[in-house]
PDB file of all heavy atoms in Angstrom:
ATOM      1  N   GLY A 130     227.697  24.310  99.331  1.00 78.00           N
ATOM      2  CA  GLY A 130     226.756  23.217  98.931  1.00 78.00           C
ATOM      3  C   GLY A 130     225.810  23.731  97.806  1.00 78.00           C
ATOM      4  O   GLY A 130     224.624  23.321  97.754  1.00 78.00           O
ATOM      5  N   VAL A 131     226.299  24.502  96.870  1.00 90.00           N
ATOM      6  CA  VAL A 131     225.512  24.990  95.779  1.00 90.00           C
ATOM      7  C   VAL A 131     226.203  24.549  94.417  1.00 90.00           C
ATOM      8  O   VAL A 131     227.372  24.793  94.280  1.00 90.00           O
ATOM      9  CB  VAL A 131     225.323  26.462  95.736  1.00 90.00           C
ATOM     10  CG1 VAL A 131     224.572  26.944  94.512  1.00 90.00           C
ATOM     11  CG2 VAL A 131     224.682  26.960  97.003  1.00 90.00           C
ATOM     12  N   ILE A 132     225.349  23.915  93.522  1.00 91.00           N
ATOM     13  CA  ILE A 132     225.852  23.504  92.206  1.00 91.00           C
ATOM     14  C   ILE A 132     225.434  24.554  91.198  1.00 91.00           C
ATOM     15  O   ILE A 132     224.189  24.814  91.108  1.00 91.00           O
ATOM     16  CB  ILE A 132     225.397  22.097  91.822  1.00 91.00           C
ATOM     17  CG1 ILE A 132     225.913  21.075  92.807  1.00 91.00           C
ATOM     18  CG2 ILE A 132     225.810  21.832  90.396  1.00 91.00           C
ATOM     19  CD1 ILE A 132     225.395  19.612  92.519  1.00 91.00           C
ATOM     20  N   SER A 133     226.365  25.078  90.474  1.00 91.00           N
ATOM     21  CA  SER A 133     226.005  25.995  89.408  1.00 91.00           C
ATOM     22  C   SER A 133     226.316  25.267  88.010  1.00 91.00           C
ATOM     23  O   SER A 133     227.534  24.858  87.828  1.00 91.00           O
ATOM     24  CB  SER A 133     226.839  27.284  89.424  1.00 91.00           C
ATOM     25  OG  SER A 133     226.534  27.947  90.645  1.00 91.00           O
ATOM     26  N   ALA A 134     225.353  25.121  87.178  1.00 91.00           N
ATOM     27  CA  ALA A 134     225.481  24.351  85.957  1.00 91.00           C
ATOM     28  C   ALA A 134     225.076  25.219  84.763  1.00 91.00           C
ATOM     29  O   ALA A 134     224.174  26.020  84.900  1.00 91.00           O
ATOM     30  CB  ALA A 134     224.741  23.063  86.019  1.00 91.00           C
ATOM     31  N   GLU A 135     225.733  24.970  83.638  1.00 90.00           N
ATOM     32  CA  GLU A 135     225.423  25.772  82.429  1.00 90.00           C
ATOM     33  C   GLU A 135     225.699  24.873  81.175  1.00 90.00           C
ATOM     34  O   GLU A 135     226.592  24.131  81.187  1.00 90.00           O
ATOM     35  CB  GLU A 135     226.251  27.011  82.357  1.00 90.00           C
ATOM     36  CG  GLU A 135     225.886  27.945  81.228  1.00 90.00           C
ATOM     37  CD  GLU A 135     226.699  29.245  81.266  1.00 90.00           C
ATOM     38  OE1 GLU A 135     227.765  29.205  81.748  1.00 90.00           O
ATOM     39  OE2 GLU A 135     226.169  30.204  80.713  1.00 90.00           O
ATOM     40  N   ARG A 136     224.901  25.037  80.157  1.00 88.00           N
ATOM     41  CA  ARG A 136     225.060  24.446  78.879  1.00 88.00           C
ATOM     42  C   ARG A 136     224.547  25.314  77.783  1.00 88.00           C
ATOM     43  O   ARG A 136     223.805  26.293  78.026  1.00 88.00           O
ATOM     44  CB  ARG A 136     224.459  23.059  78.811  1.00 88.00           C
ATOM     45  CG  ARG A 136     222.947  23.118  78.646  1.00 88.00           C
ATOM     46  CD  ARG A 136     222.391  21.700  78.436  1.00 88.00           C
ATOM     47  NE  ARG A 136     220.972  21.730  78.189  1.00 88.00           N
ATOM     48  CZ  ARG A 136     220.185  20.725  78.118  1.00 88.00           C
ATOM     49  NH1 ARG A 136     220.565  19.522  78.504  1.00 88.00           N
ATOM     50  NH2 ARG A 136     218.835  20.835  77.883  1.00 88.00           N
ATOM     51  N   GLY A 137     224.885  24.895  76.478  1.00 84.00           N
ATOM     52  CA  GLY A 137     224.363  25.707  75.369  1.00 84.00           C
ATOM     53  C   GLY A 137     225.205  26.858  75.000  1.00 84.00           C
ATOM     54  O   GLY A 137     224.805  27.789  74.265  1.00 84.00           O
ATOM     55  N   ARG A 138     226.458  26.828  75.388  1.00 81.00           N
ATOM     56  CA  ARG A 138     227.383  27.965  74.968  1.00 81.00           C
ATOM     57  C   ARG A 138     227.723  27.910  73.440  1.00 81.00           C
ATOM     58  O   ARG A 138     228.181  28.959  72.916  1.00 81.00           O
ATOM     59  CB  ARG A 138     228.635  27.999  75.804  1.00 81.00           C
ATOM     60  CG  ARG A 138     228.401  28.278  77.218  1.00 81.00           C
ATOM     61  CD  ARG A 138     229.662  28.600  77.943  1.00 81.00           C
ATOM     62  NE  ARG A 138     229.405  28.926  79.341  1.00 81.00           N
ATOM     63  CZ  ARG A 138     230.357  29.369  80.210  1.00 81.00           C
ATOM     64  NH1 ARG A 138     231.615  29.511  79.778  1.00 81.00           N
ATOM     65  NH2 ARG A 138     230.058  29.693  81.423  1.00 81.00           N
ATOM     66  N   LEU A 139     227.438  26.838  72.842  1.00 81.00           N
ATOM     67  CA  LEU A 139     227.687  26.725  71.350  1.00 81.00           C
ATOM     68  C   LEU A 139     226.659  27.565  70.597  1.00 81.00           C
ATOM     69  O   LEU A 139     226.881  27.725  69.373  1.00 81.00           O
ATOM     70  CB  LEU A 139     227.661  25.236  70.922  1.00 81.00           C
ATOM     71  CG  LEU A 139     228.848  24.363  71.371  1.00 81.00           C
ATOM     72  CD1 LEU A 139     228.636  22.949  70.894  1.00 81.00           C
ATOM     73  CD2 LEU A 139     230.171  24.989  70.899  1.00 81.00           C
ATOM     74  N   ARG A 140     225.593  28.034  71.169  1.00 82.00           N
ATOM     75  CA  ARG A 140     224.683  28.830  70.495  1.00 82.00           C
ATOM     76  C   ARG A 140     225.340  30.101  69.970  1.00 82.00           C
ATOM     77  O   ARG A 140     225.152  30.491  68.769  1.00 82.00           O
ATOM     78  CB  ARG A 140     223.491  29.202  71.383  1.00 82.00           C
ATOM     79  CG  ARG A 140     222.452  30.067  70.662  1.00 82.00           C
ATOM     80  CD  ARG A 140     221.421  30.474  71.657  1.00 82.00           C
ATOM     81  NE  ARG A 140     220.367  31.340  71.040  1.00 82.00           N
ATOM     82  CZ  ARG A 140     219.256  30.958  70.466  1.00 82.00           C
ATOM     83  NH1 ARG A 140     219.021  29.623  70.428  1.00 82.00           N
ATOM     84  NH2 ARG A 140     218.427  31.751  69.939  1.00 82.00           N
ATOM     85  N   GLU A 141     226.127  30.706  70.787  1.00 81.00           N
ATOM     86  CA  GLU A 141     226.808  31.906  70.402  1.00 81.00           C
ATOM     87  C   GLU A 141     227.850  31.563  69.336  1.00 81.00           C
ATOM     88  O   GLU A 141     228.133  32.355  68.390  1.00 81.00           O
ATOM     89  CB  GLU A 141     227.499  32.587  71.549  1.00 81.00           C
ATOM     90  CG  GLU A 141     228.270  33.848  71.266  1.00 81.00           C
ATOM     91  CD  GLU A 141     227.465  34.923  70.668  1.00 81.00           C
ATOM     92  OE1 GLU A 141     226.185  34.980  70.828  1.00 81.00           O
ATOM     93  OE2 GLU A 141     227.950  35.836  70.021  1.00 81.00           O
ATOM     94  N   ALA A 142     228.479  30.372  69.436  1.00 84.00           N
ATOM     95  CA  ALA A 142     229.375  29.941  68.378  1.00 84.00           C
ATOM     96  C   ALA A 142     228.681  29.752  67.042  1.00 84.00           C
ATOM     97  O   ALA A 142     229.198  30.133  65.975  1.00 84.00           O
ATOM     98  CB  ALA A 142     230.088  28.627  68.780  1.00 84.00           C
ATOM     99  N   GLY A 143     227.420  29.322  67.088  1.00 84.00           N
ATOM    100  CA  GLY A 143     226.643  29.253  65.883  1.00 84.00           C
ATOM    101  C   GLY A 143     226.388  30.598  65.236  1.00 84.00           C
ATOM    102  O   GLY A 143     226.454  30.822  64.016  1.00 84.00           O
ATOM    103  N   ASN A 144     226.115  31.635  66.126  1.00 83.00           N
ATOM    104  CA  ASN A 144     225.856  32.936  65.597  1.00 83.00           C
ATOM    105  C   ASN A 144     227.148  33.494  64.968  1.00 83.00           C
ATOM    106  O   ASN A 144     227.114  34.105  63.884  1.00 83.00           O
ATOM    107  CB  ASN A 144     225.464  33.861  66.765  1.00 83.00           C
ATOM    108  CG  ASN A 144     224.028  33.573  67.275  1.00 83.00           C
ATOM    109  OD1 ASN A 144     223.199  33.143  66.483  1.00 83.00           O
ATOM    110  ND2 ASN A 144     223.751  33.819  68.513  1.00 83.00           N
ATOM    111  N   LEU A 145     228.260  33.271  65.658  1.00 86.00           N
ATOM    112  CA  LEU A 145     229.540  33.756  65.117  1.00 86.00           C
ATOM    113  C   LEU A 145     229.885  33.031  63.776  1.00 86.00           C
ATOM    114  O   LEU A 145     230.362  33.729  62.866  1.00 86.00           O
ATOM    115  CB  LEU A 145     230.705  33.507  66.167  1.00 86.00           C
ATOM    116  CG  LEU A 145     230.702  34.456  67.316  1.00 86.00           C
ATOM    117  CD1 LEU A 145     231.749  34.006  68.317  1.00 86.00           C
ATOM    118  CD2 LEU A 145     231.025  35.929  66.828  1.00 86.00           C
ATOM    119  N   LEU A 146     229.636  31.812  63.733  1.00 88.00           N
ATOM    120  CA  LEU A 146     229.914  30.968  62.542  1.00 88.00           C
ATOM    121  C   LEU A 146     229.017  31.549  61.380  1.00 88.00           C
ATOM    122  O   LEU A 146     229.525  31.569  60.275  1.00 88.00           O
ATOM    123  CB  LEU A 146     229.605  29.543  62.814  1.00 88.00           C
ATOM    124  CG  LEU A 146     230.176  28.515  61.796  1.00 88.00           C
ATOM    125  CD1 LEU A 146     231.685  28.586  61.730  1.00 88.00           C
ATOM    126  CD2 LEU A 146     229.730  27.112  62.190  1.00 88.00           C
ATOM    127  N   PHE A 147     227.855  31.836  61.650  1.00 86.00           N
ATOM    128  CA  PHE A 147     226.966  32.364  60.575  1.00 86.00           C
ATOM    129  C   PHE A 147     227.491  33.685  60.004  1.00 86.00           C
ATOM    130  O   PHE A 147     227.577  33.944  58.838  1.00 86.00           O
ATOM    131  CB  PHE A 147     225.548  32.575  61.122  1.00 86.00           C
ATOM    132  CG  PHE A 147     224.558  33.147  60.143  1.00 86.00           C
ATOM    133  CD1 PHE A 147     224.037  32.272  59.172  1.00 86.00           C
ATOM    134  CD2 PHE A 147     224.261  34.425  60.110  1.00 86.00           C
ATOM    135  CE1 PHE A 147     223.143  32.811  58.205  1.00 86.00           C
ATOM    136  CE2 PHE A 147     223.389  34.974  59.120  1.00 86.00           C
ATOM    137  CZ  PHE A 147     222.866  34.140  58.170  1.00 86.00           C
ATOM    138  N   HIS A 148     227.927  34.558  60.964  1.00 84.00           N
ATOM    139  CA  HIS A 148     228.474  35.824  60.505  1.00 84.00           C
ATOM    140  C   HIS A 148     229.818  35.619  59.761  1.00 84.00           C
ATOM    141  O   HIS A 148     230.070  36.270  58.750  1.00 84.00           O
ATOM    142  CB  HIS A 148     228.826  36.712  61.666  1.00 84.00           C
ATOM    143  CG  HIS A 148     227.568  37.323  62.357  1.00 84.00           C
ATOM    144  ND1 HIS A 148     226.753  36.634  63.234  1.00 84.00           N
ATOM    145  CD2 HIS A 148     226.903  38.477  62.137  1.00 84.00           C
ATOM    146  CE1 HIS A 148     225.757  37.385  63.527  1.00 84.00           C
ATOM    147  NE2 HIS A 148     225.734  38.493  62.897  1.00 84.00           N
ATOM    148  N   ILE A 149     230.644  34.706  60.197  1.00 88.00           N
ATOM    149  CA  ILE A 149     231.894  34.376  59.525  1.00 88.00           C
ATOM    150  C   ILE A 149     231.552  33.816  58.147  1.00 88.00           C
ATOM    151  O   ILE A 149     232.273  34.160  57.164  1.00 88.00           O
ATOM    152  CB  ILE A 149     232.691  33.388  60.277  1.00 88.00           C
ATOM    153  CG1 ILE A 149     233.280  34.120  61.552  1.00 88.00           C
ATOM    154  CG2 ILE A 149     233.942  32.881  59.518  1.00 88.00           C
ATOM    155  CD1 ILE A 149     233.977  33.155  62.598  1.00 88.00           C
ATOM    156  N   SER A 150     230.509  33.040  58.024  1.00 89.00           N
ATOM    157  CA  SER A 150     230.161  32.389  56.749  1.00 89.00           C
ATOM    158  C   SER A 150     229.850  33.465  55.709  1.00 89.00           C
ATOM    159  O   SER A 150     230.177  33.337  54.514  1.00 89.00           O
ATOM    160  CB  SER A 150     228.999  31.475  56.895  1.00 89.00           C
ATOM    161  OG  SER A 150     227.779  32.118  57.162  1.00 89.00           O
ATOM    162  N   VAL A 151     229.155  34.546  56.134  1.00 86.00           N
ATOM    163  CA  VAL A 151     228.817  35.651  55.209  1.00 86.00           C
ATOM    164  C   VAL A 151     230.097  36.277  54.693  1.00 86.00           C
ATOM    165  O   VAL A 151     230.290  36.562  53.474  1.00 86.00           O
ATOM    166  CB  VAL A 151     227.905  36.697  55.903  1.00 86.00           C
ATOM    167  CG1 VAL A 151     227.676  37.872  54.967  1.00 86.00           C
ATOM    168  CG2 VAL A 151     226.628  36.089  56.329  1.00 86.00           C
ATOM    169  N   LEU A 152     231.086  36.433  55.567  1.00 88.00           N
ATOM    170  CA  LEU A 152     232.356  36.974  55.192  1.00 88.00           C
ATOM    171  C   LEU A 152     233.090  36.033  54.205  1.00 88.00           C
ATOM    172  O   LEU A 152     233.638  36.528  53.230  1.00 88.00           O
ATOM    173  CB  LEU A 152     233.232  37.238  56.484  1.00 88.00           C
ATOM    174  CG  LEU A 152     234.519  37.988  56.256  1.00 88.00           C
ATOM    175  CD1 LEU A 152     234.249  39.383  55.713  1.00 88.00           C
ATOM    176  CD2 LEU A 152     235.269  38.121  57.589  1.00 88.00           C
ATOM    177  N   VAL A 153     233.025  34.745  54.517  1.00 91.00           N
ATOM    178  CA  VAL A 153     233.701  33.734  53.606  1.00 91.00           C
ATOM    179  C   VAL A 153     233.022  33.819  52.208  1.00 91.00           C
ATOM    180  O   VAL A 153     233.777  33.719  51.219  1.00 91.00           O
ATOM    181  CB  VAL A 153     233.608  32.362  54.250  1.00 91.00           C
ATOM    182  CG1 VAL A 153     234.112  31.338  53.233  1.00 91.00           C
ATOM    183  CG2 VAL A 153     234.414  32.291  55.508  1.00 91.00           C
ATOM    184  N   VAL A 154     231.718  33.873  52.191  1.00 89.00           N
ATOM    185  CA  VAL A 154     231.006  33.919  50.830  1.00 89.00           C
ATOM    186  C   VAL A 154     231.531  35.180  50.089  1.00 89.00           C
ATOM    187  O   VAL A 154     231.782  35.158  48.918  1.00 89.00           O
ATOM    188  CB  VAL A 154     229.538  33.917  51.099  1.00 89.00           C
ATOM    189  CG1 VAL A 154     228.815  34.195  49.758  1.00 89.00           C
ATOM    190  CG2 VAL A 154     229.070  32.604  51.619  1.00 89.00           C
ATOM    191  N   LEU A 155     231.579  36.351  50.772  1.00 87.00           N
ATOM    192  CA  LEU A 155     231.990  37.552  50.147  1.00 87.00           C
ATOM    193  C   LEU A 155     233.455  37.432  49.600  1.00 87.00           C
ATOM    194  O   LEU A 155     233.744  37.931  48.560  1.00 87.00           O
ATOM    195  CB  LEU A 155     231.908  38.722  51.151  1.00 87.00           C
ATOM    196  CG  LEU A 155     230.419  39.109  51.512  1.00 87.00           C
ATOM    197  CD1 LEU A 155     230.426  40.147  52.598  1.00 87.00           C
ATOM    198  CD2 LEU A 155     229.644  39.573  50.332  1.00 87.00           C
ATOM    199  N   VAL A 156     234.276  36.777  50.396  1.00 88.00           N
ATOM    200  CA  VAL A 156     235.642  36.622  50.001  1.00 88.00           C
ATOM    201  C   VAL A 156     235.717  35.662  48.775  1.00 88.00           C
ATOM    202  O   VAL A 156     236.499  35.947  47.830  1.00 88.00           O
ATOM    203  CB  VAL A 156     236.518  36.021  51.159  1.00 88.00           C
ATOM    204  CG1 VAL A 156     237.867  35.608  50.652  1.00 88.00           C
ATOM    205  CG2 VAL A 156     236.679  37.051  52.276  1.00 88.00           C
ATOM    206  N   GLY A 157     234.850  34.668  48.804  1.00 88.00           N
ATOM    207  CA  GLY A 157     234.826  33.750  47.614  1.00 88.00           C
ATOM    208  C   GLY A 157     234.409  34.386  46.303  1.00 88.00           C
ATOM    209  O   GLY A 157     235.045  34.290  45.299  1.00 88.00           O
ATOM    210  N   PHE A 158     233.372  35.274  46.443  1.00 84.00           N
ATOM    211  CA  PHE A 158     233.002  36.041  45.249  1.00 84.00           C
ATOM    212  C   PHE A 158     234.018  37.029  44.825  1.00 84.00           C
ATOM    213  O   PHE A 158     234.217  37.254  43.631  1.00 84.00           O
ATOM    214  CB  PHE A 158     231.664  36.786  45.551  1.00 84.00           C
ATOM    215  CG  PHE A 158     230.408  35.912  45.500  1.00 84.00           C
ATOM    216  CD1 PHE A 158     229.512  35.882  46.548  1.00 84.00           C
ATOM    217  CD2 PHE A 158     230.203  35.082  44.403  1.00 84.00           C
ATOM    218  CE1 PHE A 158     228.424  35.076  46.488  1.00 84.00           C
ATOM    219  CE2 PHE A 158     229.122  34.222  44.368  1.00 84.00           C
ATOM    220  CZ  PHE A 158     228.215  34.259  45.496  1.00 84.00           C
ATOM    221  N   SER A 159     234.700  37.680  45.773  1.00 86.00           N
ATOM    222  CA  SER A 159     235.758  38.607  45.440  1.00 86.00           C
ATOM    223  C   SER A 159     236.882  37.908  44.701  1.00 86.00           C
ATOM    224  O   SER A 159     237.502  38.476  43.768  1.00 86.00           O
ATOM    225  CB  SER A 159     236.187  39.377  46.638  1.00 86.00           C
ATOM    226  OG  SER A 159     236.860  38.491  47.560  1.00 86.00           O
ATOM    227  N   MET A 160     237.261  36.722  45.127  1.00 87.00           N
ATOM    228  CA  MET A 160     238.277  35.925  44.486  1.00 87.00           C
ATOM    229  C   MET A 160     237.919  35.641  42.984  1.00 87.00           C
ATOM    230  O   MET A 160     238.741  35.788  42.209  1.00 87.00           O
ATOM    231  CB  MET A 160     238.496  34.568  45.175  1.00 87.00           C
ATOM    232  CG  MET A 160     239.152  34.699  46.529  1.00 87.00           C
ATOM    233  SD  MET A 160     239.327  33.083  47.320  1.00 87.00           S
ATOM    234  CE  MET A 160     240.248  32.148  46.185  1.00 87.00           C
ATOM    235  N   GLY A 161     236.636  35.396  42.786  1.00 83.00           N
ATOM    236  CA  GLY A 161     236.237  35.177  41.400  1.00 83.00           C
ATOM    237  C   GLY A 161     236.290  36.394  40.538  1.00 83.00           C
ATOM    238  O   GLY A 161     236.694  36.337  39.362  1.00 83.00           O
ATOM    239  N   SER A 162     235.942  37.559  41.115  1.00 81.00           N
ATOM    240  CA  SER A 162     235.975  38.827  40.322  1.00 81.00           C
ATOM    241  C   SER A 162     237.427  39.335  40.201  1.00 81.00           C
ATOM    242  O   SER A 162     237.678  40.075  39.194  1.00 81.00           O
ATOM    243  CB  SER A 162     235.097  39.879  41.053  1.00 81.00           C
ATOM    244  OG  SER A 162     235.598  40.106  42.307  1.00 81.00           O
ATOM    245  N   LEU A 163     238.317  38.971  41.032  1.00 86.00           N
ATOM    246  CA  LEU A 163     239.740  39.437  40.934  1.00 86.00           C
ATOM    247  C   LEU A 163     240.537  38.517  40.026  1.00 86.00           C
ATOM    248  O   LEU A 163     241.287  39.039  39.222  1.00 86.00           O
ATOM    249  CB  LEU A 163     240.366  39.500  42.347  1.00 86.00           C
ATOM    250  CG  LEU A 163     239.822  40.626  43.257  1.00 86.00           C
ATOM    251  CD1 LEU A 163     240.356  40.566  44.605  1.00 86.00           C
ATOM    252  CD2 LEU A 163     240.051  42.009  42.702  1.00 86.00           C
ATOM    253  N   PHE A 164     240.419  37.190  40.253  1.00 88.00           N
ATOM    254  CA  PHE A 164     241.304  36.316  39.516  1.00 88.00           C
ATOM    255  C   PHE A 164     240.673  35.516  38.421  1.00 88.00           C
ATOM    256  O   PHE A 164     241.305  34.811  37.701  1.00 88.00           O
ATOM    257  CB  PHE A 164     241.924  35.278  40.576  1.00 88.00           C
ATOM    258  CG  PHE A 164     242.679  35.961  41.650  1.00 88.00           C
ATOM    259  CD1 PHE A 164     242.172  36.138  42.890  1.00 88.00           C
ATOM    260  CD2 PHE A 164     244.010  36.378  41.435  1.00 88.00           C
ATOM    261  CE1 PHE A 164     242.825  36.756  43.903  1.00 88.00           C
ATOM    262  CE2 PHE A 164     244.720  36.964  42.429  1.00 88.00           C
ATOM    263  CZ  PHE A 164     244.185  37.200  43.717  1.00 88.00           C
ATOM    264  N   GLY A 165     239.356  35.661  38.265  1.00 88.00           N
ATOM    265  CA  GLY A 165     238.681  34.878  37.255  1.00 88.00           C
ATOM    266  C   GLY A 165     238.371  35.766  36.025  1.00 88.00           C
ATOM    267  O   GLY A 165     238.955  36.820  35.861  1.00 88.00           O
ATOM    268  N   TYR A 166     237.650  35.170  35.197  1.00 89.00           N
ATOM    269  CA  TYR A 166     237.211  35.889  33.892  1.00 89.00           C
ATOM    270  C   TYR A 166     235.911  35.304  33.404  1.00 89.00           C
ATOM    271  O   TYR A 166     235.502  34.210  33.781  1.00 89.00           O
ATOM    272  CB  TYR A 166     238.296  35.820  32.840  1.00 89.00           C
ATOM    273  CG  TYR A 166     238.594  34.440  32.332  1.00 89.00           C
ATOM    274  CD1 TYR A 166     237.840  33.868  31.275  1.00 89.00           C
ATOM    275  CD2 TYR A 166     239.649  33.611  32.867  1.00 89.00           C
ATOM    276  CE1 TYR A 166     238.149  32.587  30.788  1.00 89.00           C
ATOM    277  CE2 TYR A 166     239.870  32.386  32.411  1.00 89.00           C
ATOM    278  CZ  TYR A 166     239.082  31.887  31.383  1.00 89.00           C
ATOM    279  OH  TYR A 166     239.349  30.628  30.846  1.00 89.00           O
ATOM    280  N   LYS A 167     235.290  36.039  32.539  1.00 87.00           N
ATOM    281  CA  LYS A 167     234.036  35.602  31.908  1.00 87.00           C
ATOM    282  C   LYS A 167     234.021  36.079  30.447  1.00 87.00           C
ATOM    283  O   LYS A 167     234.333  37.284  30.200  1.00 87.00           O
ATOM    284  CB  LYS A 167     232.877  36.076  32.656  1.00 87.00           C
ATOM    285  CG  LYS A 167     231.481  35.611  32.164  1.00 87.00           C
ATOM    286  CD  LYS A 167     230.386  36.163  33.011  1.00 87.00           C
ATOM    287  CE  LYS A 167     230.415  35.559  34.432  1.00 87.00           C
ATOM    288  NZ  LYS A 167     229.320  36.106  35.241  1.00 87.00           N
TER     289      LYS A 167
END
């Protein structure tokens, strides 16, 4: 007769998404320096 409830697990997904976004930005810049020109 005990209810265990939890919410807010997407907070960690937000943290992971933020770290992944930094990696994506770095990949985007590297694509420009490898395949682009100025």
Side-chain angles (χ1 to χ4, degrees):
V131 179
I132 296 177
S133 300
E135 186 177 26
R136 78 175 184 190
R138 294 193 177 187
L139 289 178
R140 180 186 178 89
E141 180 62 20
N144 290 330
L145 286 173
L146 195 61
F147 180 78
H148 288 82
I149 292 172
S150 70
V151 177
L152 188 60
V153 172
V154 170
L155 293 175
V156 171
F158 282 128
S159 65
M160 288 176 60
S162 62
L163 289 174
F164 300 100
Y166 63 87
K167 185 180 293 182

